[in-house]
Amino acid sequence: MFESLKKRFQAVFSGRTDSILYSDLEPEILEILLTADVSYDTAQKISEEAKKRLPRQRKIAIQEAREAFKAAMTEIIDSAGSQPDLLSFDRKPSVILFLGINGTGKTTTIAKVAEYLKRNGKRTVIAAADTFRAGAIEQLAELSAAVGVPLIRHAQGSDPSAVAFDAIEHARARNLDFVLIDSAGRMQTNRNLMEEMKKIRRVSKPDLTVLVLDAMIGQDAVSQARTFFSEVSYDCIVLTKMDTDARGGAILSITNELKKPVLYIGVGQGLSDLQKFDADWYLSKILP
Ligand SMILES: Nc1nc2c(ncn2[C@@H]2O[C@H](COP(=O)(O)OP(=O)(O)O)[C@@H](O)[C@H]2O)c(=O)[nH]1
Ligand SMILES: [Mg+2]
């Protein structure tokens, strides 16, 4: 993952023995960030944070510049707040609502999270509340069967909030730990769908609302999150498809601009291809 990004940082930070001024490195660093899908504002912010940590006029060793740059990126990621820990949720049932545009990986992520919870001894039910798209309910039926967790489903076209409500009732009656609610992808222009999403939230009163974003769309993920979800709040983000040729910078723009922590990253299509996002792991992947 992110090999090309690491290679480019390697060219800046490795094999240099002379001391330098940070300002001499700055244009190159900014360019690398921009080509890795970091937004202009976020790239500037990272550079400013790095400069704050370094002397202005004095030349420094390259290692010192690297440390300041790394600390700047850590600061950006940390500024989004800390991640929730699902295993410490103790309300029964805890309700998690998943939102996102069609195709970002919502349904797959729900199956992965259900699998993760099951592996950790938690009992879960899934609500097939994407009743809008043909095939969505069947897809979830297959996935929930593969994981081995129950699915609450109604007919296609029925009220998604009613599905969510039934799943919560199902969990209450059986003392289950989690309800995971799928939802239909949103069209910005479709007011009904926006209202539907608000209604699901109102009815299900989620303990956690997760926005699923696709890393392949890079910088657009941030504007998508802004425009589509300006009316419905969410707590944290899952960034999917990090295993594809995603250039890796989206994490920095998302945390800096949306100020929501990344909870998980999707690293493949399989049920176990979900990783808890870890800033140290990420930085070790992109920096030499
Ligand atoms: N490579 C890869 N593919 C993924 C990942 N997450 C989801 N997908 C694929 O993306 C496509 C859309 O996923 P789906 O869960 O149906 O998206 P939804 O419309 O948001 O529910 C499917 O082909 C998934 O297998 C991921 O982390 N990596
Ligand atoms: Mg879906």
Side-chain angles (χ1 to χ4, degrees):
M1 246 178 275
F2 322 134
E3 281 85 9
S4 72
L5 186 53
K6 191 168 195 165
K7 233 176 233 152
R8 296 196 65 190
F9 280 134
Q10 213 145 18
V12 177
F13 291 116
S14 301
R16 216 175 193 138
T17 49
D18 54 326
S19 47
I20 40 96
L21 284 170
Y22 180 77
S23 55
D24 295 336
L25 297 178
E26 193 175 22
E28 205 178 339
I29 287 179
L30 283 175
E31 206 224 292
I32 294 173
L33 289 173
L34 293 176
T35 52
D37 277 344
V38 178
S39 71
Y40 183 81
D41 286 353
T42 299
Q44 288 289 338
K45 172 97 181 163
I46 293 170
S47 206
E48 291 309 315
E49 286 294 333
K51 275 192 268 190
K52 269 192 218 161
R53 292 168 162 81
L54 291 167
R56 249 172 215 288
Q57 311 289 354
R58 185 169 59 78
K59 287 192 169 186
I60 49 169
I62 193 72
Q63 274 315 314
E64 207 179 328
R66 181 189 170 281
E67 285 313 310
F69 180 59
K70 185 176 176 191
M73 290 196 286
T74 305
E75 164 99 18
I76 296 286
I77 293 169
D78 288 351
S79 73
S82 57
Q83 303 157 310
D85 172 19
L86 298 193
L87 299 182
S88 70
F89 281 27
D90 52 11
R91 191 162 82 109
K92 275 195 172 198
S94 290
V95 176
I96 308 181
L97 172 63
F98 292 79
L99 305 175
I101 307 298
N102 270 341
T104 51
K106 261 186 323 296
T107 304
T108 312
T109 299
I110 288 170
K112 290 174 179 177
V113 172
E115 211 271 333
Y116 164 78
L117 291 171
K118 188 176 179 189
R119 223 184 313 131
N120 286 280
K122 302 290 184 188
R123 295 165 70 220
T124 298
V125 60
I126 299 177
D130 177 359
T131 61
F132 187 73
R133 199 167 52 84
I137 301 172
E138 279 316 312
Q139 181 194 7
L140 202 47
E142 279 171 28
L143 286 169
S144 56
V147 180
V149 296
L151 177 75
I152 300 300
R153 56 189 285 183
H154 291 186
Q156 194 197 330
S158 59
D159 181 0
S161 297
V163 184
F165 185 84
D166 277 2
I168 294 168
E169 287 298 297
H170 175 99
R172 278 212 184 104
R174 290 161 186 79
N175 201 29
L176 303 187
D177 301 296
F178 284 94
V179 179
L180 307 181
I181 306 175
D182 198 7
S183 65
R186 298 297 127 182
M187 303 289 180
Q188 193 175 11
T189 48
N190 192 324
R191 287 299 313 171
N192 287 342
L193 285 176
M194 200 60 94
E195 290 310 317
E196 175 189 300
M197 184 158 60
K198 288 186 189 171
K199 187 176 167 193
I200 290 199
R201 248 192 88 99
R202 222 166 38 236
V203 169
S204 64
K205 299 185 187 64
D207 298 275
L208 189 74
T209 303
V210 177
L211 178 63
V212 179
L213 295 173
D214 177 345
M216 274 168 60
I217 67 168
Q219 287 199 43
D220 288 341
V222 174
S223 52
Q224 187 178 83
R226 279 222 183 93
T227 36
F228 288 66
F229 301 97
S230 55
E231 296 180 62
V232 183
S233 63
Y234 55 91
D235 306 300
C236 60
I237 287 160
V238 171
L239 200 57
T240 62
K241 309 186 195 177
M242 292 292 273
D243 54 302
T244 61
D245 58 356
R247 282 175 283 183
I251 294 255
L252 294 161
S253 301
I254 284 171
T255 46
N256 180 46
E257 291 172 43
L258 302 175
K259 291 282 179 260
K260 299 288 181 194
V262 175
L263 176 56
Y264 297 118
I265 55 173
V267 294
Q269 295 183 296
L271 285 174
S272 57
D273 293 328
L274 186 75
Q275 275 181 31
K276 188 142 198 177
F277 175 68
D278 179 75
D280 289 335
W281 170 86
Y282 170 67
L283 294 175
S284 75
K285 285 278 177 198
I286 67 170
L287 278 181

